[in-house]
Amino acid sequence: MSKFRMHILVCGGTGCMSSSSGEIFDVFEKELSANSLSNEVQVIKTGCFGFCEQGPIVKIYPDNVFYVQVKPADVSRIISEHVIKGRTVPDILYKNPESKETVAEHREIPFYHSQLRIALRNCGLINPEEIDDYISVSGYEALGKCLTEISREDVISAVKASGLRGRGGAGVSTGFKWEMAYKSQGDKKYVICNADEGDPGAFMDRSILEGDPHSVLEAMAICGYAIGADEGVIYIRAEYPLAVERLRIAIRQAEEYGLLGDDILGSGFSFHISLSLGAGAFVCGEETALMNSVQGMRGEPRMKPPFPAQAGLWHKPSNVNNVETWANIPPIILKGADWFKSIGTEKSPGTKVFALAGQINNVGLVEVPMGIKLRDIIYKVGGGVRGGKRFKAVQTGGPSGGCIPAELLDLAIDYDSLQSVGSMMGSGGMIVMDETDCMVNIAKYYLEFTVEESCGKCTPCRIGNRRLLEILEKITSGQGTEDDLTELKDLSAAIQDSSLCALGQTAPNPVVSTMKYFWDEYIAHVRDKKCTAGKCTSMLTYKVTDKCIGCTICAKNCPVNAISGSLKSLHSIDPAKCVKCGVCFNKCPKQAIERV
Amino acid sequence: MSKIKSLDELKKIREQSKGGTDIRVTGENPDRVVLAVGMATCGIAAGARVTMSTLLDEIDKAGLDNVSVVATGCLGFCYAEPLVEVRTPGREPIRYANVDAARAKEIIDKHVKQGILLDNAIIGKEVPRQ
């Protein structure tokens, strides 16, 4: 056969790799060769498919069959049944949780229904370690088009007209940033890719770099051409070894083809890209701190202005964009600003990648048009709340964002609507909380994160946030007063107003938004000393009620032997020994244990 | 790897490397035509491999980007192997019998490209799929 008749795609994203997709790939290669099929069937390691909940994922073309939760032991069946006999293997197909029917094609899976992939267009389609795969789907043509047909000014106008806004957090117009850098005078300019993805639970940037690294390189070169820079730096955290490795391969391949380097495509334009590895400090996602870190200094932010476009890396005009923003650039150049503007909302065109996490059925990475309702993301794409529990809130925007309650589920999501309800887009993390999550405790969790990650340069952030955390600790341990709530509000406002960088300015957001929407819970904690969700253990007591039948299950399961009682008689819990772990509460077959 | 010196050269490489990914891109097209080749023991013994590779080559030559060739199990008409079923969205599938290389070429030239059925080779119209 002159070409491969079948392609077997094995997910090579970090999620699937950590559940043995690497081994699955190897077994495929071995067994295909044992069956003399290596000339007919090709195995390819791709980037993330997004449906991490169901990983490891194997997809087979041209049949377009999507296998989920594949184990290395399933490989021989896929080969003997699917590859050789043309029959699907039903037990590893996705099963629709509602209809219980198996689904073979991925577009039939509800998780993919509302999705529209622009930034993730090549993730799970091409081999990220093979530049020809990227070129075959029109890769580097946007760069070629810019260098040969479009003037620098028109490139900037196109990006500006598309309305693309920064996907890393604040949502500043990308075209505006490029224009500022273009207008800045300087003999040397820099293009920087911010791949310091730090929000807990967000991993879209990692997935793009792992699944489609060339799209970022191409976009950076386009920007270099537009603003007049000949050097690019990708600032990426060392905790992303696979993304770093694939970027290195991609840069090498692009240089070999002359798509990076000197005199690209004979145009006279030269552009070089290097990597700078960060140590994983959250604050280095802030652009001025990032540039300090690249220069080998402490990762501390500085006052703006001057903006990076005026004095950035090594005091030269620089343009910093986030990975997902970059990934949107080549399609905008090729398909035009009008195409991009036709997607999403008026002020937030395009799509956004969200990382779904927390108490949600379909944990994973989804790309949806802006303006989609929160409810559709959580229930249609996300498959609803795990375990059939009641939805309580969704935290968006990471530690800088806020919690959005159930009343606002019909909110159409874009940069401005999220801000109007006291949260933010951030990098697109979405953590779903159910009725068993305590909102005061959640606010405390995020504060713990920002206190840990504060660089310490300015006082409001270094000390103010620590005081906020201490008040929250006091409240969750049952020692809080109503005065503490006033203090929380005042201190939050002061920190927001006076911190140096966005980390500090936004750190109180989780506190402010939970106080706004879940005031009752705060009051219950300080006035009644009750945690209704049952998370703040020091406020709880467990008691055995007279429903007890004396089965001894609780006593046997108690890890600290705090429960006494003999067979068929009422048991009791010794409060002095009880560690409030809740095991007895969950184990009791008669719901005879009360939590108050 | 030699350096690419112009946009045209880049486009040439794109065309050359398309063969590496096109079955994936076509596989994502919901309106694609699927040619299912019976690749059970009977089909392979009767020469289905030649049928399949001919189909793939002809599609490649004609530059068709909406046609997928898939292997399928025994279609039940073992006496008439190799069998090819043409599945066009919204139409009843058509089954062709005794598809050797010449007939495979004819299927692409007439049925797929022009919509003309090969009346002398159809073995029966199947009930529409659910």
Side-chain angles (χ1 to χ4, degrees):
Chain A
M1 249 167 245
S2 63
K3 61 190 270 190
F4 295 107
R5 69 170 170 94
M6 186 179 267
H7 291 183
I8 298 177
L9 274 57
V10 180
C11 177
T14 293
C16 286
M17 290 287 268
S18 61
S19 44
S20 69
S21 77
E23 193 188 339
I24 292 171
F25 180 85
D26 295 340
V27 179
F28 262 117
E29 291 221 306
K30 211 174 83 199
E31 298 222 358
L32 282 173
S33 126
N35 283 286
S36 322
L37 288 164
S38 303
N39 292 328
E40 280 182 42
V41 180
Q42 191 184 15
V43 202
I44 300 138
K45 208 183 272 179
T46 69
C48 179
F49 289 88
F51 208 177
C52 308
E53 177 74 30
Q54 295 285 336
I57 283 162
V58 170
K59 192 171 180 184
I60 298 190
Y61 285 111
D63 322 36
N64 205 350
V65 170
F66 196 82
Y67 288 115
V68 297
Q69 297 185 5
V70 179
K71 291 179 284 298
D74 295 326
V75 170
S76 63
R77 284 193 305 148
I78 296 178
I79 290 180
S80 65
E81 285 294 298
H82 193 134
V83 178
I84 296 178
K85 296 182 192 150
R87 298 192 288 226
T88 53
V89 186
D91 59 297
I92 45 173
L93 288 176
Y94 178 71
K95 197 180 256 170
N96 187 321
E98 276 175 28
S99 64
K100 307 283 175 219
E101 280 172 6
T102 55
V103 184
E105 291 207 16
H106 86 279
R107 57 175 154 259
E108 308 285 328
I109 299 173
F111 178 73
Y112 287 104
H113 278 178
S114 313
Q115 292 204 44
L116 175 67
R117 297 183 143 215
I118 298 175
L120 299 175
R121 64 195 177 281
N122 294 326
C123 288
L125 183 71
I126 63 167
N127 180 349
E129 298 183 7
E130 190 46 75
I131 191 170
D132 283 350
D133 264 27
Y134 181 64
I135 291 177
S136 78
V137 290
S138 301
Y140 287 103
E141 259 169 58
L143 174 63
K145 197 174 154 189
C146 289
L147 295 182
T148 51
E149 295 165 14
I150 315 178
S151 71
R152 294 169 56 193
E153 294 76 14
D154 287 349
V155 173
I156 292 170
S157 317
V159 175
K160 235 177 139 180
S162 74
L164 175 67
R165 295 171 69 172
R167 299 297 193 240
V172 179
S173 157
T174 305
F176 173 73
K177 279 176 109 170
W178 288 25
E179 192 175 39
M180 269 180 60
Y182 163 79
K183 283 184 180 157
S184 269
Q185 298 298 317
D187 52 338
K188 177 92 186 170
K189 293 181 186 177
Y190 290 96
V191 173
I192 299 169
C193 170
N194 184 347
D196 189 63
E197 186 172 48
D199 285 6
F203 57 100
M204 57 283 293
D205 293 350
R206 193 193 74 210
S207 282
I208 291 169
L209 293 171
E210 286 175 2
D212 192 15
H214 286 286
S215 68
V216 174
L217 303 184
E218 181 182 4
M220 289 175 71
I222 292 172
C223 176
Y225 166 71
I227 67 169
D230 64 353
E231 204 176 328
V233 178
I234 301 176
Y235 185 81
I236 180 167
R237 37 183 57 211
E239 292 127 308
Y240 283 178
L242 190 60
V244 170
E245 167 73 13
R246 293 206 173 133
L247 273 173
R248 288 208 166 114
I249 294 172
I251 292 172
R252 200 189 62 228
Q253 289 179 343
E255 283 171 350
E256 281 170 6
Y257 259 150
L259 295 165
L260 284 179
D262 294 327
D263 191 20
I264 297 170
L265 296 176
S267 65
F269 168 68
S270 302
F271 194 73
H272 298 263
I273 294 180
S274 59
L275 297 186
S276 177
L277 300 196
F282 183 62
V283 72
C284 288
E286 201 282 335
E287 52 189 11
T288 58
L290 183 155
M291 292 183 300
N292 276 338
S293 177
V294 173
Q295 289 173 208
M297 300 193 292
R298 239 176 219 232
E300 283 178 344
R302 59 159 174 78
M303 287 290 281
K304 289 193 281 192
F307 291 98
Q310 299 150 337
L313 187 61
W314 306 110
H315 305 287
K316 304 290 181 189
S318 307
N319 176 61
V320 187
N321 285 132
N322 150 278
V323 173
E324 191 189 333
T325 316
W326 290 121
N328 277 291
I329 297 288
I332 289 175
I333 300 291
L334 288 178
K335 297 183 180 178
D338 289 337
W339 161 79
F340 193 76
K341 271 195 94 85
S342 71
I343 302 159
T345 63
E346 197 195 333
K347 292 206 171 138
S348 306
T351 56
K352 179 76 191 86
V353 184
F354 291 103
L356 298 180
Q359 306 300 324
I360 190 157
N361 279 317
N362 299 338
V363 168
L365 211 55
V366 305
E367 183 169 356
V368 288
M370 296 274 193
I372 190 175
K373 283 184 181 161
L374 205 44
R375 184 186 299 281
D376 290 342
I377 297 187
I378 290 163
Y379 287 93
K380 283 192 186 157
V381 181
V385 180
R386 205 175 273 257
K389 292 209 176 87
R390 195 169 55 81
F391 171 87
K392 188 177 206 171
V394 57
Q395 215 281 348
T396 71
S400 311
C403 289
I404 303 172
E407 305 91 89
L408 294 171
L409 267 178
D410 286 312
L411 185 78
I413 299 184
D414 63 16
Y415 288 97
D416 311 296
S417 68
L418 284 175
Q419 216 138 46
S420 72
V421 299
S423 184
M424 64 184 281
M425 186 70 83
S427 63
M430 255 191 201
I431 300 175
V432 174
M433 290 141 200
D434 68 22
E435 53 196 323
T436 63
D437 284 308
C438 164
M439 299 316 283
V440 187
N441 199 41
I442 293 288
K444 191 182 86 177
Y445 164 80
Y446 282 108
L447 247 297
E448 278 168 2
F449 181 87
T450 34
V451 165
E452 179 81 12
E453 293 291 346
S454 170
C455 76
K457 186 173 182 180
C458 73
T459 318
C461 179
R462 182 182 70 243
I463 299 175
N465 282 320
R466 180 162 288 283
R467 295 289 96 84
L468 271 189
L469 176 61
E470 283 164 5
I471 299 173
L472 289 170
E473 280 168 348
K474 190 176 162 201
I475 295 174
T476 52
S477 62
Q479 313 294 314
T481 63
E482 285 184 55
D483 288 345
D484 287 328
L485 299 185
T486 320
E487 187 67 21
L488 270 184
K489 273 188 183 167
D490 294 347
L491 188 52
S492 292
I495 296 169
Q496 286 173 326
D497 282 346
S498 55
S499 289
L500 176 62
C501 80
L503 190 154
Q505 288 156 12
T506 58
N509 283 2
V511 182
V512 175
S513 72
T514 49
M515 286 181 95
K516 180 171 171 193
Y517 296 116
F518 300 95
W519 181 247
D520 292 354
E521 284 192 38
Y522 278 87
I523 289 290
H525 278 76
V526 296
R527 200 182 283 161
D528 315 326
K529 307 285 182 253
K530 287 264 183 300
C531 175
T532 42
K535 275 273 146 76
C536 301
T537 47
S538 53
M539 275 182 264
L540 300 175
T541 39
Y542 287 90
K543 265 193 228 156
V544 184
T545 63
D546 51 14
K547 281 197 226 159
C548 176
I549 53 166
C551 69
T552 73
I553 287 177
C554 57
K556 279 179 192 148
N557 282 287
C558 178
V560 290
N561 296 321
I563 305 178
S564 55
S566 50
L567 193 64
K568 291 185 181 172
S569 67
L570 188 72
H571 282 49
S572 68
I573 301 173
D574 177 359
K577 281 191 189 167
C578 178
V579 291
K580 299 167 185 178
C581 65
V583 167
C584 55
F585 181 82
N586 292 327
K587 289 274 180 190
C588 179
K590 293 285 168 192
Q591 280 87 47
I593 298 192
E594 196 179 43
R595 184 169 68 187
V596 283
Chain B
M1 259 193 259
S2 61
K3 299 228 184 225
I4 304 174
K5 303 241 167 45
S6 67
L7 182 55
D8 289 333
E9 267 183 54
L10 177 70
K11 285 182 176 164
K12 220 177 278 167
I13 292 185
R14 176 189 68 192
E15 290 311 313
Q16 283 163 10
S17 46
K18 260 203 169 150
T21 53
D22 57 359
I23 78 166
R24 286 173 245 165
V25 176
T26 307
E28 288 296 329
N29 181 353
D31 300 322
R32 73 206 161 119
V33 175
V34 175
L35 305 180
V37 184
M39 291 285 265
T41 308
C42 46
I44 293 171
R49 269 178 200 287
V50 177
T51 311
M52 176 169 259
S53 55
T54 311
L55 288 172
L56 289 169
D57 288 345
E58 291 300 317
I59 290 169
D60 214 25
K61 260 191 251 166
L64 300 170
D65 59 1
N66 64 335
V67 187
S68 291
V69 181
V70 306
T72 187
C74 180
L75 291 159
F77 301 90
C78 307
Y79 62 93
E81 294 282 358
L83 284 160
V84 171
E85 185 174 283
V86 182
R87 300 172 188 158
T88 312
R91 300 228 189 108
E92 284 182 31
I94 306 286
R95 274 180 187 170
Y96 291 112
N98 303 313
V99 185
D100 54 10
R103 191 162 280 170
K105 211 165 163 312
E106 219 181 339
I107 291 175
I108 301 290
D109 286 343
K110 293 206 173 134
H111 188 148
V112 175
K113 281 163 86 175
Q114 307 174 49
I116 305 167
L117 304 192
L118 281 57
D119 283 330
N120 59 338
I122 300 174
I123 53 167
K125 290 184 180 177
E126 211 201 32
V127 224
R129 276 158 195 275
Q130 293 300 309

